[in-house]
Amino acid sequence: MNAIISISRRSFIIGVASTAGGLSLGFNVPFIKPALAEGSETAPEINAWVVIRPDDTVVIRIARSEMGQGTLTGLAQLVAEELNCDWSKVTTEYPSPAQNLARDRVWGNFSTGGSRGIRESHEYVRIGGAVAREMLIAAAAAEWGVPASECTARMGMVTHAASDRATFYGQLAAAAARMTPPANVTLKDPKDWTIAGKPLPRLDTADKLNGSQVYGTDLKLPNMLNAAIRACPYFGGKVESFDAAAVAGMPGVRTVVQVDETAVAVVADTWWRAKTALDALPIVWDEGPNRQVTSASIAAMLEEGLGANDAFIGARQGDAGTALSAAGRTVTATYAYPYQNHATMEPMNATALYTPERCEVWVPTQNGEASLAAAAEAAGLPVQQCEVHKIHLGGGFGRRGNFQDYVRQAVSIAKQVPGTPVKLMWSREEDMLHGAYHPTTRCRLTGALDADGNLTALHMRISGQSILAAVRPEGMQNGMDPVVFQGLVLSGTEGTLGYTVDNLLVDHAMRNPPIPPGFWRGVNLNQNALYVECFMDELAHAAGVDPLAFRRKLMAKHPKHLAVLEAVAERIGWDNPPAAGVHRGLAQIMGFGSYVAAAAEVSVTDGQLRIHRIVAATDPGHVVNPAQVERQVEGSFVYGLSACIYGECTVNGGRMEQENFDSYEVLRMAEMPDVETIILPSGGFWGGVGEPTIAVAAPAVLNAIFAATGKRIRTLPLKNHDLA
Amino acid sequence: MARLIINGTPRDIEVDPDTPLLWVIREQIGLTGTKYGCGVAACGACTIHIDGVATRSCALPVSAVEPDQQITTIEGLSPDSSHPVQQAWLALDVPQCGYCQAGMIMAAAGLLMQNPNPADEDINAEITNICRCGTYNRVRAAIKLAAKAGEATQRG
């Protein structure tokens, strides 16, 4: 991530601050129709969030990106709840990032990551719906010459009972748009919700059943060309030379261009022809400084950090060092977590149209504003002359937020064929070789047990890669990456450790190999939960105490952590023996503002693992759509178990070795366990849903594998281990 | 020149015979419901039917398709999403991001044509498509629901 983008992004953040105090309403800036949104420009905009057409269709604007997680439906439910509209008439559209900038960021943050889609915007989108409702009531009251306080709004209709009059929102919209928005509105108590909080079907399903949903890869524009790209596979390397003439005459080829210092692209009439020519194109790479880097050299670098003197402290209580040296009995174990690729099903892509005056980009993005900043920078144009059209994503998982490499590439290519739209799509191989990888870390844990088997001291030394140092240095705190300690800190609302240990030290020796890291669904909570929850199991075993009982003793001051753990234990039948040959494991953690736990039932027969059943629980405070929460939790086990069993990108010769799904396997149907989800919203806070339960998948299963085999697996993935 | 029958319509296409069928469908016929996911027939996003048999189209050269073979894509599975598999998918709200779902639906429809009442083991063996969002359990339930609907149709 370079400086120019950081500056642009910071200016966006300043924009947020200036409007954070309340909703901007009553704008004069005309709304520009996004290319892919349903047309609403002729229908009255009540406010930024709500457009109502004469036929009573309610268009709800959604600033966050839909990538399968259901946030589109959930956010629409929140607006509709306060609007008191007819849910069956709701449709949605994305406002564009340029519109957001032009309108003083009226839609707030577009970034869709960190499980923040709903928990960070629930209040202002509900206010948006409530304000629009009051404006509709005011319009009806004015028309009827009655006090607004005598009118009610329900199911898309305003009623004045005293005079027996009623009218639909569609008839009121034009007048409502001219009303002064109320300064204050009162939001409903969630217990009174009738649209939000309900397991409503998704709004985006129909088009996903018949091929009509247009993804970025499917985009068609007049005169559009297609580009296939190959970037230097060696991290830190670049293009030395390429022989464009060798492929210039191949069918469909229009041009061969260099893309920045690092990549070469072939532009052709179809993508297949572009790729075919690219495969035939002689390219010489400057392999850069990292040819000696291997997984083994990275492991050695991290191993050194495990014993290093200097480390950043993430959590400290009492004096762990002294307590451990004085302890009668200590337990030590070292765990490791590998690089992993997001492997979204839809490969990275972006379509760009450049002229010297304007640059437009169509892209599946988790952060439309980051895409806009990247487009402007790559185009060399003021951001006001650029536009980004958001498209639903074929998976995001963190790859399409902070990282806009494909946008920069698409614009760089389009700049070399001005006036012609170019769709850039990566091959799967390109996607695997140029990830923003789940960082690799190791952790050495040392715990002290007293004579009664109580944990009296714990030191967790994490060694390894910082994501922020590489991609968001402005988030570092005096050289420390606070995100490294997800789920392990002692205070805050994002993710605290659920155990009270009198003498505790969690510290981080930062070791940054030259491999680009990124935010990968669940981020650092994934390995941190693995480390702490598998080690708790080890300690319980060493103490000769049941793993649930061992944890309970440390969780008295952490009732919400304990509640989800107790819930999964009860549902899986922890107190009763499992079926013959079946074994159980537990894990809990807090992350992304939610408390989560899992219990797994597995069997291992002749070394073959079978995961029979997962029970998961989450307490996200409030639930906007329980059906979507259930699906996110269930899906998170596909992601988490893929990582646990298969996920590993290995480095050799300064590049990744895995290039496709044949060498980077993921979980498939046959291995998918039953997942039962327990939703325990305790109220009073808003936690995230998309990510946290991923983190408990691997530790619950590894603890169950220990119960089954007596083998303690401390490095992922499982495919590298013999369970026989 | 190749002649292909796609969703019941014969199409004459100027194409290099090595071009995978997927790219002919997407870029020359212009039907983009069938997706590219891997290019090596590992993920199943490109699944279509050839004479009713679920087939991965991304690694199949167009020259391997006979001119009289019937190619069906997701767009041609039914005119109005009324195929029992699509209906079951709708009833259970199966898709998440949706990118793999056309391939999943085509694979499921192919399975049910061969085996109208598949057991879990049959589903495990035949539905090897990759979904990264994690719809597998709803896919399984929807296949069973579609099988039930099919049974009812046959009985009725």
Side-chain angles (χ1 to χ4, degrees):
Chain A
M1 187 66 49
N2 58 48
I4 296 170
I5 285 192
S6 298
I7 290 162
S8 306
R9 298 178 88 247
R10 266 198 290 277
S11 70
F12 292 161
I13 290 161
I14 291 162
V16 163
S18 67
T19 57
L23 274 187
S24 313
L25 294 159
F27 343 86
N28 300 312
V29 185
F31 186 77
I32 309 154
K33 180 185 146 199
L36 295 173
E38 291 188 43
S40 58
E41 74 279 14
T42 57
E45 175 183 301
I46 312 297
N47 64 18
W49 304 97
V50 177
V51 172
I52 300 181
R53 296 187 189 140
D55 68 356
D56 292 317
T57 303
V58 174
V59 182
I60 294 176
R61 304 250 177 78
I62 306 293
R64 311 283 176 159
S65 301
E66 178 57 48
M67 49 188 165
Q69 83 281 40
T71 208
L72 178 99
T73 305
L75 289 168
Q77 283 177 267
L78 287 169
V79 175
E81 177 62 56
E82 294 292 343
L83 185 60
N84 286 358
C85 64
D86 179 350
W87 178 250
S88 71
K89 298 199 166 131
V90 166
T91 183
T92 60
E93 68 181 14
Y94 289 135
S96 83
Q99 289 158 14
N100 201 33
L101 274 191
R103 293 176 62 165
D104 203 15
R105 283 191 106 224
V106 64
W107 290 286
N109 192 357
F110 275 36
S111 171
T112 313
S115 298
R116 288 192 305 260
I118 283 178
R119 66 180 168 127
E120 204 178 79
S121 55
H122 64 90
E123 188 169 352
Y124 58 74
V125 303
R126 284 188 290 158
I127 291 172
V131 165
R133 178 195 68 221
E134 292 305 310
M135 291 164 78
L136 287 156
I137 290 173
E143 192 184 315
W144 295 330
V146 301
S149 58
E150 290 178 9
C151 299
T152 54
R154 208 184 142 266
M155 276 296 279
M157 185 184 274
V158 180
T159 303
H160 183 242
S163 63
D164 200 21
R165 280 179 289 194
T167 189
F168 288 105
Y169 283 3
Q171 301 304 308
L172 291 168
R178 293 190 295 270
M179 289 286 150
T180 306
N184 295 299
V185 289
T186 306
L187 296 179
K188 295 179 189 175
D189 188 315
K191 73 175 166 45
D192 298 326
W193 284 350
T194 60
I195 296 172
K198 305 300 171 200
L200 302 181
R202 300 173 64 107
L203 291 170
D204 55 345
T205 294
D207 287 352
K208 294 176 176 175
L209 303 178
N210 57 19
S212 59
Q213 176 72 59
V214 174
Y215 296 86
T217 51
D218 304 329
L219 198 70
K220 292 174 197 149
L221 294 172
N223 307 316
M224 187 179 79
L225 295 174
N226 289 272
I229 194 162
R230 183 159 297 150
C232 181
Y234 306 99
F235 297 114
K238 54 191 182 185
V239 177
E240 189 166 295
S241 65
F242 59 96
D243 181 10
V247 301
M250 287 181 70
V253 172
R254 301 299 170 85
T255 185
V256 181
V257 298
Q258 183 162 342
V259 185
D260 307 322
E261 285 194 316
T262 54
V264 182
V266 176
V267 180
D269 54 355
T270 69
W271 187 79
W272 180 255
R273 284 172 151 181
K275 183 194 179 291
T276 303
L278 183 64
D279 287 343
L281 179 69
I283 308 174
V284 178
W285 302 115
D286 169 349
E287 296 173 353
N290 298 314
R291 286 287 273 132
Q292 304 308 312
V293 177
T294 64
S295 285
S297 73
I298 293 169
M301 183 182 182
L302 269 55
E303 203 59 34
E304 179 276 327
L306 290 175
N309 287 328
D310 289 334
F312 298 105
I313 295 172
R316 179 159 52 184
Q317 184 77 48
D319 184 346
T322 305
L324 284 167
S325 354
R329 185 177 180 201
T330 61
V331 178
T332 296
T334 302
Y335 286 77
Y337 199 96
Y339 284 115
Q340 292 161 345
N341 193 296
H342 298 80
T344 62
M345 287 310 294
E346 180 192 25
M348 297 304 113
N349 67 89
T351 300
L353 171 58
Y354 171 90
T355 67
E357 296 77 37
R358 184 165 170 78
C359 179
E360 283 186 85
V361 172
W362 292 257
V363 61
T365 175
Q366 288 178 245
N367 189 344
E369 291 177 313
S371 300
L372 182 63
E377 185 223 354
L381 289 171
V383 74
Q384 292 79 5
Q385 286 166 241
C386 299
E387 179 60 291
V388 165
H389 308 280
K390 288 170 55 180
I391 308 174
H392 283 354
L393 293 73
F397 313 126
R399 179 64 180 86
R400 291 182 151 114
N402 220 74
F403 314 98
Q404 298 292 328
D405 36 1
Y406 40 91
V407 167
R408 280 194 296 278
Q409 290 175 344
V411 170
S412 170
I413 295 165
K415 230 179 146 171
Q416 299 181 63
V417 281
T420 302
V422 181
K423 177 163 73 185
L424 167 69
M425 186 180 80
W426 290 13
S427 65
R428 176 60 59 192
E429 289 78 9
E430 198 67 10
D431 198 78
M432 289 300 302
L433 293 174
H434 298 285
Y437 302 92
H438 191 302
T440 183
T441 64
R442 296 188 161 224
C443 184
R444 179 163 297 154
L445 301 102
T446 309
L449 294 169
D450 68 14
D452 299 323
N454 295 305
L455 179 65
T456 55
L458 176 65
H459 179 204
M460 286 182 71
R461 162 58 63 86
I462 300 166
S463 171
Q465 196 156 13
S466 156
I467 304 172
L468 292 197
V471 307
R472 203 182 282 166
E474 66 272 24
M476 300 288 278
Q477 296 173 353
N478 298 319
M480 181 177 94
D481 176 351
V483 181
V484 162
F485 302 104
Q486 271 183 301
L488 303 176
V489 297
L490 298 176
S491 63
T493 56
E494 191 68 6
T496 52
L497 185 67
Y499 303 110
T500 303
V501 184
D502 290 342
N503 298 289
L504 173 75
L505 178 64
V506 184
D507 56 7
H508 174 220
M510 191 184 300
R511 296 292 181 272
N512 292 328
I515 310 298
F519 301 101
W520 191 99
R521 190 178 176 189
V523 195
N524 295 306
L525 196 68
N526 296 326
Q527 71 270 18
N528 290 347
L530 180 86
Y531 301 154
V532 72
E533 286 303 291
C534 288
F535 192 63
M536 279 293 158
D537 212 70
E538 294 205 43
L539 290 166
H541 185 73
V545 179
D546 169 81
L548 176 59
F550 185 82
R551 285 179 172 85
R552 267 188 199 128
K553 286 198 286 185
L554 304 169
M555 297 179 77
K557 292 182 182 159
H558 308 276
K560 287 182 194 293
H561 292 79
L562 183 59
V564 288
L565 182 65
E566 296 282 13
V568 298
E570 189 191 336
R571 175 73 69 85
I572 204 124
W574 189 260
D575 292 336
N576 305 312
V582 174
H583 300 269
R584 293 182 182 138
L586 291 172
Q588 67 81 25
I589 196 85
M590 181 188 178
F592 305 93
S594 292
Y595 304 83
V596 299
E601 283 189 344
V602 313
S603 60
V604 180
T605 312
D606 300 330
Q608 283 294 102
L609 170 69
R610 188 163 160 223
I611 306 168
H612 300 270
R613 181 185 177 208
I614 298 282
V615 175
T618 180
D619 175 3
H622 291 281
V623 171
V624 174
N625 185 322
Q628 296 309 319
V629 172
E630 211 170 279
R631 284 158 208 180
Q632 280 299 290
V633 170
E634 190 171 300
S636 74
F637 282 88
V638 176
Y639 217 69
L641 293 176
S642 290
C644 177
I645 299 171
Y646 297 112
E648 181 185 38
C649 295
T650 52
V651 182
N652 195 9
R655 53 169 283 170
M656 285 304 178
E657 294 187 294
Q658 292 71 23
E659 296 195 32
N660 210 317
F661 286 122
D662 48 5
S663 50
Y664 188 77
E665 266 288 349
V666 296
L667 198 81
R668 296 178 197 245
M669 182 92 91
E671 298 158 302
M672 181 64 191
D674 286 334
V675 178
E676 297 162 47
T677 303
I678 306 169
I679 306 174
L680 293 168
S682 59
F685 64 98
W686 287 73
V689 168
E691 293 168 275
T693 42
I694 293 173
V696 285
V701 166
L702 295 186
N703 290 339
I705 288 173
F706 175 79
T709 64
K711 286 183 190 248
R712 197 56 85 174
I713 306 297
R714 299 191 181 94
T715 61
L716 292 187
L718 271 171
K719 72 177 170 83
N720 296 341
H721 297 273
D722 182 5
L723 297 181
Chain B
M1 185 76 89
R3 163 156 286 209
L4 298 173
I5 306 172
I6 299 186
N7 298 331
T9 306
R11 308 287 294 257
D12 292 315
I13 295 144
E14 203 69 54
V15 66
D16 173 348
D18 293 339
T19 306
L21 181 58
L22 169 68
W23 296 105
V24 175
I25 291 169
R26 283 181 58 83
E27 300 196 297
Q28 286 172 278
I29 309 296
L31 295 173
T32 54
T34 309
K35 299 296 189 248
Y36 165 77
C38 69
V40 296
C43 81
C46 64
T47 305
I48 52 147
H49 293 173
I50 298 179
D51 288 341
V53 177
T55 306
R56 292 183 178 176
S57 63
C58 71
L60 181 74
V62 65
S63 56
V65 183
E66 299 298 330
D68 60 344
Q69 287 190 304
Q70 296 285 335
I71 297 168
T72 307
T73 70
I74 185 70
E75 292 90 347
L77 187 62
S78 70
D80 50 5
S81 299
S82 61
H83 187 281
V85 170
Q86 289 166 309
Q87 287 297 299
W89 246 248
L90 182 66
L92 299 184
D93 217 8
V94 172
Q96 289 186 209
C97 90
Y99 192 83
C100 74
Q101 295 289 313
M104 282 281 188
I105 289 170
M106 296 307 283
L111 168 63
L112 290 172
M113 257 185 285
Q114 313 295 325
N115 180 352
N117 195 12
D120 278 331
E121 292 68 31
D122 304 321
I123 296 172
N124 289 346
E126 295 302 320
I127 310 298
T128 56
N129 300 38
I130 293 175
C131 169
R132 294 286 283 153
C133 295
T135 61
Y136 293 134
N137 288 347
R138 287 198 308 293
V139 166
R140 182 188 300 280
I143 291 171
K144 292 178 178 176
L145 183 62
K148 233 179 232 168
E151 255 175 34
T153 311
Q154 279 165 14
R155 277 201 307 270

